[in-house]
């Protein structure tokens, strides 16, 4: 490609990852994002010409424009300019598939755990010397401040985002699915449509490998509903990760009887921060440096994928015992007056419950768990209000920030105050969004040995960073 590629919304985690991959291929990159950030600063360091006003971008010589779903109707003028100049316009999912078209692709999907599981698969493949191409929707030290890189090996590992339905445009050679939960219903409208999209992603009528964590109720439910109508491609191999209790299910018996030669079964159980699993009549143990059952089950999905491409479970388990993690996933920001301050991206009820429970298990009776929670998006808050509020009940103290809009317009009657009726009986304080004034309130509740968790997908991390600085 002779001229530069223009990335609209280049500061987003997925878009920045793709931009880094283009830079690895020595393709010139121009970017637009209305906000300056550490992400955009690093892109500039790597040679990106960055614009913060979309009207200032010169389109002469641009060979292709890549956009994300964050670029919407508010940007009609620039889309019209691009189309009038006959410049190819690609959604980020289309561009990613162009990048990995010459490699064997491994996609990771699910309502939760995509980033962690993609990082785990990537770490395994990297440490055994396979040099994969990697696209992760988060910041991990595996890739040194960026979420994407082009590798020279046979495999490409990428996170497959279901938020706007574009994850169905490409059927990867190996498709991993961690779970199905009620998220992005602003796009799908109903649970049924969401489940249909994930069923399509599994691609039973397509060749390749599918790894399903059936310990998840959402995946199990979809299999129960649809199993007699599924058509297996004769080149598809299904990997079912199940507990012993699932082996008595009618759908499980049906799969085994109908598709014996196309199925690998992984039996597992979790006890005290360790996962025990059985594969091909061999027993193994998985233990990770991060607390929480969800990390262990994500690890099981990752090592099952690795097993199916020839990496032994014992080797994968050893690599994951030093799993490096992802920024904003139980990330320790520092310590203030012997209070550990942690940041986590969790913004859906299931994620919130998981991280609160894992940290409560970690702290046990040594101190209290204080949570600064920042609701993310008005649409999500409206749809999941009661579940979001109740997911916070495991914390000892809850500090509620105003809703982080993520570019959405405010919705009448949807504010953080709406959480209060569901939090009766718990110690809850409303914050006004002024970091220094908020922290004066928060500090008065903190004692030696406590944990302070900054929770949400917006900028709640800033409160923790200010405290530890």
């Amino acid at each position: 490609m002779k001229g530069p590629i223009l990335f609209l919304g280049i500061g987003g985690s997925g878009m920045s990852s793709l931009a880094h991959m283009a830079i690895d291929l020595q393709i010139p990159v121009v970017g637009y994002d209305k906000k300056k950030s550490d992400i955009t600063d690093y892109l500039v360091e790597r040679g990106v010409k960055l614009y913060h006003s979309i009207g200032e971008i010169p389109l002469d010589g641009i060979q292709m424009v890549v956009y994300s779903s964050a670029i919407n109707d508010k940007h009609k003028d620039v889309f019209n300019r691009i189309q009038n100049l006959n410049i190819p316009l690609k959604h980020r999912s289309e561009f990613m598939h162009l990048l990995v078209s010459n490699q064997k692709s491994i996609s990771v999907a699910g309502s939760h755990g995509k980033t962690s599981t993609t990082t785990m698969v990537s770490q395994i493949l990297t440490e055994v010397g396979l040099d994969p191409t990697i696209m992760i929707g988060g910041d991990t030290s595996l890739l040194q401040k960026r979420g994407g890189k082009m590798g020279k090996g046979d495999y490409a590992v990428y996170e497959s985002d279901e938020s706007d339905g574009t994850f169905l445009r490409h059927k990867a050679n190996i498709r991993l699915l961690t779970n199905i939960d009620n998220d992005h219903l602003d796009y799908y409208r109903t649970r049924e449509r969401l489940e249909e999209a994930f069923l399509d992603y599994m691609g039973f009528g397509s060749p390749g490998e599918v790894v399903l964590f059936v310990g998840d109720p959402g995946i199990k439910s979809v299999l129960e509903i649809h199993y007699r109508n599924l058509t297996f491609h004769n080149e598809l191999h299904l990997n079912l990760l199940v507990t012993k209790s699932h082996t008595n299910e009618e759908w499980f018996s049906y799969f085994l009887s109908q598709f014996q030669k196309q199925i690998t079964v992984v039996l597992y159980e979790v006890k005290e921060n360790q996962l025990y699993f059985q594969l091909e009549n061999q027993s193994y143990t998985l233990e990770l440096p991060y607390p929480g059952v969800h990390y262990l089950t994500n690890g099981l999905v990752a090592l099952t994928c690795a097993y199916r491409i020839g990496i032994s479970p014992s080797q994968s388990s050893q690599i994951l015992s030093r799993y490096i993690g992802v920024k904003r996933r139980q990330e320790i920001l520092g310590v203030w007056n012997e209070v550990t301050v942690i940041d986590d991206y969790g913004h859906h009820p299931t994620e919130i419950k998981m991280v609160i429970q894992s940290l409560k298990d970690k702290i046990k009776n040594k101190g209290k768990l204080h949570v600064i929670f920042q609701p993310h998006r008005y649409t999500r808050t409206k749809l999941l209000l009661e579940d979001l509020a109740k997911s916070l009940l495991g914390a000892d103290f809850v500090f509620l920030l105003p809703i982080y809009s993520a570019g959405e317009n405010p919705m009448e009657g949807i504010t953080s105050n709406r959480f209060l009726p569901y939090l009766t009986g718990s110690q809850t304080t409303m914050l006004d969004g002024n970091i220094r004034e908020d922290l004066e309130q928060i500090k008065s509740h903190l004692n030696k040995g406590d944990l302070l968790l900054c929770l949400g997908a917006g900028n709640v991390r800033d409160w923790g960073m200010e405290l530890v600085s």
Side-chain angles (χ1 to χ4, degrees), residues 147-423:
K149 71 108 178 172
M150 291 300 299
K152 296 178 181 178
D154 292 336
Y155 291 95
V157 187
Y158 60 85
E159 190 173 324
S160 200
D161 178 16
E162 81 282 2
S163 62
D164 57 5
T166 55
F167 77 135
L168 300 178
R169 292 179 179 174
H170 181 77
K171 285 289 186 291
N173 301 102
I174 305 176
R175 303 178 288 279
L176 282 56
L177 184 57
T178 57
N179 46 58
I180 300 174
D181 204 350
N182 284 343
D183 201 4
H184 304 301
L185 293 181
D186 53 327
Y187 173 78
Y188 289 99
R189 302 300 179 189
T190 66
R191 171 74 182 214
E192 290 72 24
R193 289 181 63 184
L194 175 71
E195 291 179 350
E196 286 170 5
F198 276 117
L199 189 65
D200 191 357
Y201 167 81
M202 296 178 208
F204 289 100
S206 304
E209 295 269 348
V210 179
V211 180
L212 301 179
F213 175 64
V214 190
D216 172 65
I219 294 177
K220 177 173 172 285
S221 173
V222 169
L223 294 180
E224 285 176 337
I225 293 168
H226 297 280
Y227 72 96
R228 288 194 181 276
N229 296 321
L230 295 178
T231 301
F232 271 61
H233 194 283
N234 58 11
E235 294 180 16
L236 175 92
H237 194 100
L238 179 63
N239 300 271
L240 296 174
L241 283 50
V242 302
T243 62
K244 290 178 181 176
S245 62
H246 288 138
T247 59
N248 298 320
E249 304 274 0
E250 183 180 344
W251 60 267
F252 182 78
S253 301
Y254 178 81
F255 280 160
L256 288 187
S257 62
Q258 296 293 315
F259 313 107
Q260 293 176 43
K261 294 179 181 178
Q262 295 168 274
I263 292 182
T264 294
V265 177
V266 184
L267 294 174
Y268 75 93
E269 61 180 339
V270 178
K271 291 180 182 177
E272 297 181 353
N273 282 323
Q274 288 186 316
L275 186 144
Y276 302 90
F277 64 101
Q278 193 172 47
L279 183 55
E280 304 288 7
N281 297 319
Q282 294 287 320
S283 296
Y284 305 92
T285 303
L286 175 63
E287 189 170 4
L288 297 171
Y290 290 80
V293 172
H294 56 299
Y295 279 116
L296 289 169
T297 54
N298 291 343
L300 183 62
V301 172
L303 65 81
T304 301
C305 168
Y307 167 74
R308 292 298 302 168
I309 63 175
I311 303 168
S312 73
S314 56
Q315 188 174 15
S316 293
S317 297
Q318 186 179 34
I319 291 169
L320 292 181
S321 70
R322 50 182 184 272
Y323 168 57
I324 58 175
V326 179
K327 187 175 180 180
R328 303 218 62 202
R329 303 299 194 278
Q330 293 192 30
E331 180 188 358
I332 296 176
L333 300 181
V335 176
W336 175 84
N337 284 4
E338 298 187 57
V339 174
T340 302
V341 182
I342 296 172
D343 178 44
D344 195 276
Y345 188 75
H347 54 284
H348 183 277
T350 303
E351 296 169 343
I352 293 166
K353 283 180 190 174
M354 284 178 175
V355 69
I356 286 176
Q357 186 58 55
S358 62
L359 291 177
K360 286 286 282 186
D361 290 344
K362 181 178 181 179
I363 199 171
K364 291 188 178 174
N365 299 318
K366 298 174 186 174
K368 302 291 186 183
L369 176 62
H370 306 256
V371 174
I372 309 174
F373 178 61
Q374 184 184 51
H376 187 255
R377 295 184 181 273
Y378 295 99
T379 50
R380 179 181 282 115
T381 303
K382 181 181 180 181
L383 284 167
L384 302 174
L385 179 69
E386 183 175 353
D387 289 339
L388 281 167
K390 289 181 177 179
S391 69
L392 296 166
L393 290 173
D396 295 301
F397 294 86
V398 177
F399 302 96
L400 284 173
L401 281 170
I403 296 170
Y404 185 85
S405 70
E408 292 184 341
N409 294 322
M411 300 176 74
E412 187 176 352
I414 303 302
T415 68
S416 295
N417 289 338
R418 292 283 302 275
F419 285 77
L420 293 176
Y422 303 103
L423 294 172

Side-chain angles (χ1 to χ4, degrees), residues 389-455:
K390 289 181 177 179
S391 69
L392 296 166
L393 290 173
D396 295 301
F397 294 86
V398 177
F399 302 96
L400 284 173
L401 281 170
I403 296 170
Y404 185 85
S405 70
E408 292 184 341
N409 294 322
M411 300 176 74
E412 187 176 352
I414 303 302
T415 68
S416 295
N417 289 338
R418 292 283 302 275
F419 285 77
L420 293 176
Y422 303 103
L423 294 172
T424 54
S426 65
Q427 300 196 51
T428 307
T429 299
M430 296 297 303
L431 303 175
D432 65 10
N434 181 300
I435 292 182
R436 295 197 174 181
E437 292 179 9
D438 291 343
L439 287 177
E440 288 306 311
Q441 288 194 69
I442 293 166
K443 286 191 287 189
S444 66
H445 292 272
L446 302 176
N447 295 297
K448 174 182 175 181
D450 288 349
L451 289 181
L452 177 63
L453 171 64
C454 303
L455 189 60

Side-chain angles (χ1 to χ4, degrees), residues 84-131:
N84 289 338
L85 291 169
N86 294 316
I87 300 171
L89 188 62
K90 301 286 184 185
H91 185 272
R92 66 178 186 180
S93 61
E94 296 176 281
F95 182 69
M96 185 195 66
H97 297 141
L98 283 176
L99 291 178
V100 304
S101 59
N102 293 322
Q103 293 171 296
K104 298 173 185 174
S105 52
I106 300 172
S107 66
V108 182
S111 302
H112 320 294
K114 290 186 292 291
T115 303
S116 296
T117 307
T118 308
T119 305
M120 290 173 176
V121 174
S122 301
Q123 184 174 345
I124 293 170
L125 269 58
T126 298
E127 291 201 23
V128 299
L130 293 181
D131 189 19

